[in-house]
Structures are given as structure tokens and as C-alpha cells.
Amino acid sequence: MRFAGDNYTFGLRITFENQQSLREYATHPVHQQFVQSLNGILDNVVVVDYPKL
């Protein structure tokens, strides 16, 4: 994983009520279809999950 010196042009923050909601979103067929549609369009994608404090 690389971060230092990398250039990113887009950021997205999504907040979920709980871990179950995140799991449902991540595995939902519409979300998976969207992710697949980005293949070849986006480069150097980083996904980070932070627990709710």
C-alpha cells in the first residue's frame, strides 16, 4: 500500500449506522456492479474503514 507522494483527485466518505449496514452495502449487487463499472477508469484506489468511536 502506498500513500506518501501519491496523488489522489477524489475522496468519498460514507457513514453507516453500524457494521451490519456496511457489510450489506459492500456486498449489495448494485454496489458490486458499480465497482465493476469503474474498472479501467480509476487507478490507485484506497479503501479504509474506521470504526465508529
Side-chain angles (χ1 to χ4, degrees), residues 18-35:
N18 52 47
Q19 286 289 326
Q20 182 61 33
S21 295
L22 170 59
R23 283 190 291 272
E24 290 170 5
Y25 168 80
T27 59
H28 194 279
V30 173
H31 174 67
Q32 291 299 311
Q33 183 179 14
F34 174 71
V35 169

Side-chain angles (χ1 to χ4, degrees), residues 1 45-49:
M1 183 182 308
V45 174
V46 176
V47 177
V48 180
D49 296 329

Side-chain angles (χ1 to χ4, degrees), residues 3-44:
F3 290 109
D6 286 344
N7 293 313
Y8 296 94
T9 58
F10 182 76
L12 178 65
R13 176 182 172 177
I14 302 173
T15 304
F16 296 94
E17 286 294 318
N18 52 47
Q19 286 289 326
Q20 182 61 33
S21 295
L22 170 59
R23 283 190 291 272
E24 290 170 5
Y25 168 80
T27 59
H28 194 279
V30 173
H31 174 67
Q32 291 299 311
Q33 183 179 14
F34 174 71
V35 169
Q36 290 300 315
S37 75
L38 298 175
N39 282 342
I41 297 172
L42 298 180
D43 185 32
N44 203 20

